[in-house]
Amino acid sequence: MKIFNESISDIFRHRLTSVLFGGVIAITVFILCIFISVIYNLDSIEKKWSREVRIVAFPSQNADIPAVTAQIKKVKNVIDAVSIQPAAVFELLKKRFPNQEITLSESVLPSMIEIRTDIHHIDEAKIEISKIADIEEVTVNTAWYDNLKNLTSSVKYVSLIVAGLIFCMAALLISYVTKLGVIQRKPEIAIMRFCGATEWYIRKPYVLTGVILGFIGGGLGILFYLSLDYLMQEIIGSFIDTWRTGTIAQMLFVYLLAMLLGAIGNFMAFTRGDEDE
Amino acid sequence: MIQFESVSKVYGSRVFALNSVSLKIVRSDFILVTGSSGAGKSTLLKLIYGDIKPTHGSVLVSGQAVEDLSGRKLAYLRRQLGVVFQDFKLLWDRTVLENVALPVIIWNTKDVDPYYMAEKVMKDFDLWKYKDLYPYQLSGGEQQKVAICRALVGDPWILVADEPTGNLDPLASTEIFDIFKEASKRGRTVVVATHNERSISMHSGRIVRLEKGRLTD
């Protein structure tokens, strides 16, 4: 409690430094939240599109379609299977293109079964389905999904690298800001050393000050992010209906990161100030 | 016991602050270290309290080689020492009582009240009346007495003082040296660096003279 009080009075004693410190953390957290949000949303977009990937199976002419469909449903990793009857499709086409009646005098479409599977096991499912007796051909087109996945993965990795760089830069910036305070307190630190203070005793209040400022700055950063998120949903929500706000767990993670950032920044500042002595 | 074994301290590449100094200081010794400016007095004292490390040789305090100590061990060694400086090195934003109690607060020893310890030593030095004042409200002599109180509050067995009377008038200087004599009589080892001629001439104990980093006698 004594150290906590000491840290609080230290924050007030070095108001300008504290505001700068908290500001850097708030901005960093804000940017990190945006990055996390982008990564999170890319993940959910990818998941959503993964559900659109289908295996298409073509049964033989005389196959018992409902029986084959039931058999397919039993295959491991298959989520759902729907048979598409040529007659139904033919009726739909006739309605859509009434002027093409002569050409579409009779159905030339084959029967097919659309199968939804776990995207991670699509190839295994395809092999299993092709083993079924009345299945003539099995096709699957994952190229578009693979391209999308590659794109989102690239964006995610770049975002992670940029977020990491921002974190490091923020820690460095904070250490510079705090260094000013350390220089101011150098004589006091020297006296403490002569009185037998251990390095940890001297560093403790600094680290705690960093955690407190991380707590305040982190809170502000998350508040900025949530405000922006709210505004964006109000403005562009109708265009991007899948956009989601970060989860509570993600926000807590960023909050903890902010406090860690404060502690690391101050710890680094102390080490750097110390080396200059 | 404090022991210097062929200790040299070189600043930069060729400035010898101390050159092959060997010295033994036993318990209750009251030693004056004298010499002109740049003779190496402060360097000798800094080596005792581990502010710097020797370039060659070894400095033993209580059987421990100071140059080998770092971090926590050095901090604990410093708890056996009281250090007094020419410029007092007091904390201006803390009261006299808080300044004196500082070492014991730092040590954070169980069942020891830092303020009670500070009160005891301050009463010995007639400083209790100033307990709520700030150092800048005191005279130079009084400030130095506060610094000595801080050095003595933890009951160290070694008292090291670097030009403690450098900023004081003759009367205050005499008073400060009387305090050191008293500390020595009570069994403490006192090492004082000074070029205060009056104090040197009146000193009945051992005098260590340094010249250009070497002992002259």
Side-chain angles (χ1 to χ4, degrees):
Chain A
M1 197 62 197
K2 213 173 89 187
I3 293 169
F4 183 77
N5 290 339
E6 210 174 296
S7 298
I8 294 287
S9 46
D10 191 60
I11 289 169
F12 283 103
R13 214 180 301 150
H14 303 105
R15 278 181 218 97
L16 183 66
T17 321
S18 302
V19 168
L20 279 171
F21 190 110
V24 171
I25 290 188
I27 293 166
T28 309
V29 163
F30 176 66
I31 296 170
L32 284 179
C33 277
I34 290 174
F35 273 109
I36 286 179
S37 195
V38 167
I39 293 169
Y40 176 54
N41 277 286
L42 281 174
D43 260 343
S44 67
I45 287 168
E46 192 190 300
K47 264 183 205 158
K48 189 186 170 189
W49 283 96
S50 76
R51 288 194 285 269
E52 299 302 318
V53 180
R54 300 274 194 274
I55 295 174
V56 179
F58 297 95
S60 57
Q61 284 253 306
N62 304 320
D64 177 0
I65 305 292
V68 172
T69 308
Q71 224 177 325
I72 288 171
K73 279 182 181 173
K74 284 180 192 161
V75 172
K76 201 179 166 191
N77 297 314
V78 167
I79 298 166
D80 195 18
V82 180
S83 64
I84 297 167
Q85 301 297 329
V89 177
F90 188 60
E91 283 306 311
L92 190 74
L93 283 172
K94 277 208 288 188
K95 269 185 198 166
R96 281 254 177 104
F97 309 104
N99 301 331
Q100 306 293 321
E101 217 167 321
I102 302 158
T103 329
L104 297 171
S105 57
E106 62 176 298
S107 171
V108 290
L109 296 169
S111 295
M112 62 171 99
I113 301 165
E114 264 193 6
I115 304 143
R116 202 148 64 81
T117 62
D118 176 356
I119 190 76
H120 303 294
H121 299 98
I122 197 160
D123 290 330
E124 297 154 38
K126 189 188 163 190
I127 292 166
E128 288 303 310
I129 292 163
S130 61
K131 284 179 188 167
I132 295 171
D134 283 331
I135 296 292
E136 272 187 351
E137 193 187 345
V138 182
T139 62
V140 60
N141 181 10
T142 55
W144 65 271
Y145 173 73
D146 289 338
N147 287 339
L148 178 81
K149 204 177 158 187
N150 286 341
L151 183 74
T152 53
S153 294
S154 308
V155 174
K156 268 193 281 185
Y157 285 128
V158 170
S159 299
L160 277 175
I161 291 167
V162 174
L165 283 175
I166 287 170
F167 185 85
C168 294
M169 277 168 65
L172 206 66
L173 200 63
I174 286 167
S175 75
Y176 273 112
V177 171
T178 319
K179 198 180 166 190
L180 299 171
V182 174
I183 289 168
Q184 276 177 341
R185 285 183 60 178
K186 247 184 190 176
E188 187 182 334
I189 290 167
I191 292 166
M192 284 181 169
R193 283 213 181 100
F194 294 132
C195 290
T198 57
E199 290 305 303
W200 178 235
Y201 179 90
I202 296 167
R203 282 175 201 213
K204 229 175 357 184
Y206 279 92
V207 174
L208 189 61
T209 302
V211 172
I212 294 169
L213 288 173
F215 183 79
I216 297 167
L220 282 173
I222 289 172
L223 207 65
F224 290 154
Y225 161 71
L226 290 176
S227 308
L228 181 81
D229 190 79
Y230 177 75
L231 276 176
M232 293 300 277
Q233 290 209 16
E234 285 290 304
I235 297 165
I236 60 161
S238 52
F239 301 108
I240 311 173
D241 60 340
T242 53
W243 187 263
R244 291 185 206 170
T245 309
T247 61
I248 291 173
Q250 287 168 351
M251 295 298 112
L252 273 176
F253 170 72
V254 176
Y255 217 160
L256 285 175
L257 213 60
M259 287 186 264
L260 185 73
L261 184 67
I264 291 174
N266 261 2
F267 193 82
M268 275 168 65
F270 190 85
T271 311
R272 296 156 67 90
D274 213 27
E275 281 163 2
D276 296 344
E277 220 174 0
Chain B
M1 191 170 71
I2 302 168
Q3 195 170 351
F4 281 67
E5 292 174 347
S6 306
V7 172
S8 297
K9 178 66 190 174
V10 186
Y11 290 113
S13 57
R14 55 173 90 163
V15 182
F16 275 84
L18 283 183
N19 199 344
S20 276
V21 170
S22 292
L23 183 68
K24 250 185 200 177
I25 302 166
V26 293
R27 196 157 186 138
S28 303
D29 256 359
F30 180 13
I31 291 183
L32 290 191
V33 183
T34 69
S36 53
S37 293
K41 305 186 293 292
S42 294
T43 302
L44 189 127
L45 263 53
K46 282 178 180 175
L47 285 164
I48 295 174
Y49 57 80
D51 195 29
I52 53 172
K53 291 184 176 182
T55 314
H56 302 291
S58 183
V59 181
L60 300 167
V61 177
S62 301
Q64 297 179 88
V66 179
E67 66 275 10
D68 293 338
L69 302 178
S70 59
R72 187 170 284 270
K73 282 183 180 168
L74 185 62
Y76 281 107
L77 176 82
R78 281 175 176 162
R79 294 178 187 189
Q80 300 175 41
L81 282 88
V83 189
V84 179
F85 301 92
Q86 181 177 357
D87 59 354
F88 323 133
K89 293 205 191 297
L90 298 171
L91 297 172
W92 300 105
D93 59 347
R94 299 193 196 188
T95 63
V96 168
L97 178 63
E98 285 167 337
N99 266 284
V100 175
L102 184 71
V104 193
I105 293 171
I106 287 171
W107 302 349
N108 196 23
T109 316
K110 266 187 189 171
D111 304 325
V112 175
D113 179 4
Y115 295 102
Y116 172 71
M117 303 271 286
E119 184 184 338
K120 250 184 14 180
V121 71
M122 282 170 75
K123 279 181 176 167
D124 281 350
F125 287 86
D126 197 24
L127 285 175
W128 186 240
K129 57 193 174 207
Y130 301 136
K131 69 179 169 70
D132 294 324
L133 297 183
Y134 289 89
Y136 56 81
Q137 293 173 297
L138 306 179
S139 69
E142 287 162 344
Q143 284 181 25
Q144 192 58 295
K145 277 166 80 177
V146 172
I148 295 170
C149 278
R150 185 185 63 194
L152 293 174
V153 71
D155 198 20
W157 73 270
I158 304 170
L159 188 60
V160 178
D162 192 0
E163 299 283 3
T165 56
N167 289 339
L168 305 180
D169 58 59
L171 193 69
S173 299
T174 309
E175 206 179 339
I176 297 298
F177 269 93
D178 286 344
I179 292 169
F180 290 139
K181 266 183 220 165
E182 187 58 34
S184 171
K185 274 183 198 164
R186 290 186 184 187
R188 291 191 179 97
T189 304
V190 181
V191 185
V192 180
T194 185
H195 49 237
N196 184 324
E197 287 304 327
R198 194 163 170 266
S199 305
I200 296 164
S201 61
M202 287 169 70
H203 185 61
S204 55
R206 194 171 155 201
I207 295 175
V208 170
R209 288 181 201 281
L210 282 168
E211 206 169 296
K212 291 180 182 170
R214 287 182 182 276
L215 288 176
T216 55
D217 49 7

